[in-house]
Amino acid sequence: MPELPEVETVRRGLMRLVAKRRIISTEVRWEKTVGMDPAAFDAELANRVIEQIDRRGKYLLFRLSGGLTMVSHLRMEGSYYTVPAGTEPGKHDLVTFHLDGDVDLFYRDTRKFGRMKVVRDEAVMTVAGLATIGPEPTADALSLDYMVNEFKRSKMHIKPFLLNQSHIAGLGNIYVDETLWQSKIHPLQPANSLTTTKLTELRTNIINEMQRAIEHHGTTVHSFTTAFGEAGEFQNELQVYGRQGQPCMRCGTPLEKTKVAQRGTTYCPHCQVLQ
């Protein structure tokens, strides 16, 4: 599933490709993607301008003229790309946005898990998933005081705690493994057992890792590409994720892989000791 750096990379690409373009009409080939009748979806979006594309956590927010926002969650393999107007959609191109300037924006989703929802601007943060979302992993939004207060309330293992978007937005399997390794925290460590010193370290690593991943256009592990059809580059920077059996970059101990909360989890048994 694309995580925050990948979604931010897509957002930046879409801003360059389709911002300020007018939606002439839409075609929906998989109704579940938009959650409404395709004709109604078209009636809502036709003749509106894509004024801005924002992001909150892993959600893309297409800000449209007339006070509407289309909330888009890519889920496992959703992606956007532009083609010349009139291009025949492929098997997995579920939605077409016909734009001015002889451009079509395709939404492709091989697994059909991605979802779009059109709401008034003022209702965006009531959409499921956004209504309970935590702060962005940035220096301005994610304060140490917040982390101390939030973490002390939960005995949950730290990995599923961080994967829960209501605590911190945008973190997924890859970057949780990375930041826990950087912070020398075992993935089964209870969230409320972390000291303020350890939370300070974890906060710094989360913020820095997200920024580094964005600068490298995200991580391509399976099928992620940018809005320009390019693969991310951060997989070349990963220190622990996907490196099970290889030596730890810090101590040389072979990295181990286990399952935590049903997610494959790679860690160093020497550096990340359960306290």
Side-chain angles (χ1 to χ4, degrees):
M1 179 181 292
E3 301 181 30
L4 184 154
E6 290 77 55
V7 178
E8 175 62 18
T9 298
V10 171
R11 185 198 72 80
R12 294 182 182 188
L14 287 171
M15 280 295 295
R16 292 167 60 186
L17 291 169
V18 302
K20 307 305 179 184
R21 291 193 180 276
R22 182 172 59 88
I23 301 172
I24 298 171
S25 62
T26 66
E27 293 180 58
V28 177
R29 286 171 288 279
W30 186 257
E31 187 172 328
K32 287 184 179 180
T33 299
V34 300
M36 61 192 301
D37 178 74
F41 183 79
D42 181 64
E44 288 276 29
L45 270 61
N47 293 313
R48 295 187 188 271
V49 174
I50 302 172
E51 296 183 336
Q52 171 75 22
I53 302 168
D54 296 325
R55 179 195 55 73
R56 185 70 170 91
K58 302 177 185 180
Y59 293 82
L60 290 169
L61 309 177
F62 289 74
R63 306 295 192 178
L64 308 175
S65 58
L68 284 189
T69 295
M70 186 184 80
V71 179
S72 173
H73 197 324
L74 302 176
R75 298 286 175 86
M76 293 293 290
E77 294 194 356
S79 63
Y80 288 97
Y81 66 104
T82 55
V83 295
T87 299
E88 189 70 20
K91 175 182 178 181
H92 302 296
D93 295 324
L94 307 185
V95 183
T96 299
F97 301 84
H98 298 291
L99 308 179
D100 63 4
D102 293 323
V103 172
D104 284 347
L105 175 65
F106 282 177
Y107 173 74
R108 174 174 290 177
D109 192 342
T110 58
R111 299 199 183 188
K112 299 181 178 178
F113 290 159
R115 294 292 181 264
M116 302 172 191
K117 187 174 182 63
V118 181
V119 296
R120 299 296 304 177
D121 288 347
E122 59 270 20
V124 167
M125 296 310 295
T126 68
V127 172
L130 288 173
T132 57
I133 198 166
E136 293 285 308
T138 64
D140 291 339
L142 183 62
S143 70
L144 179 60
D145 285 345
Y146 167 83
M147 288 185 65
V148 170
N149 290 328
E150 189 76 2
F151 281 56
K152 73 181 182 181
R153 290 200 294 262
S154 177
K155 297 179 180 180
M156 186 183 296
H157 295 147
I158 187 64
K159 177 155 186 179
F161 182 89
L162 290 174
L163 289 174
N164 186 325
Q165 301 297 291
S166 68
H167 301 302
I168 301 174
L171 299 180
N173 205 40
I174 295 173
Y175 301 110
V176 169
D177 276 8
E178 292 292 299
T179 54
L180 289 179
W181 178 83
Q182 291 164 5
S183 307
K184 299 182 180 180
I185 299 172
H186 193 282
L188 293 178
Q189 191 71 35
N192 66 354
S193 69
L194 297 179
T195 65
T196 300
T197 299
K198 187 57 70 173
L199 286 174
T200 300
E201 183 179 359
L202 178 61
R203 173 181 177 272
T204 297
N205 287 330
I206 288 173
I207 293 168
N208 291 344
E209 186 75 355
M210 292 297 100
Q211 186 57 45
R212 284 203 316 132
I214 290 170
E215 290 170 358
H216 285 80
H217 311 298
T219 299
T220 294
V221 175
H222 299 294
S223 61
F224 166 73
T225 58
T226 71
F228 295 95
E230 303 164 335
E233 302 170 347
F234 198 65
Q235 66 274 9
N236 302 317
E237 305 292 321
L238 297 178
Q239 297 165 308
V240 62
Y241 181 88
R243 298 188 64 249
Q244 61 271 19
Q246 298 181 43
C248 172
M249 292 182 176
R250 191 163 42 215
C251 72
T253 302
L255 298 174
E256 295 184 1
K257 185 173 182 178
T258 186
K259 275 200 172 182
V260 177
Q262 305 305 310
R263 304 298 298 274
T265 301
T266 308
Y267 71 104
C268 175
H270 179 265
C271 294
Q272 296 169 264
V273 177
L274 185 60
Q275 303 295 323

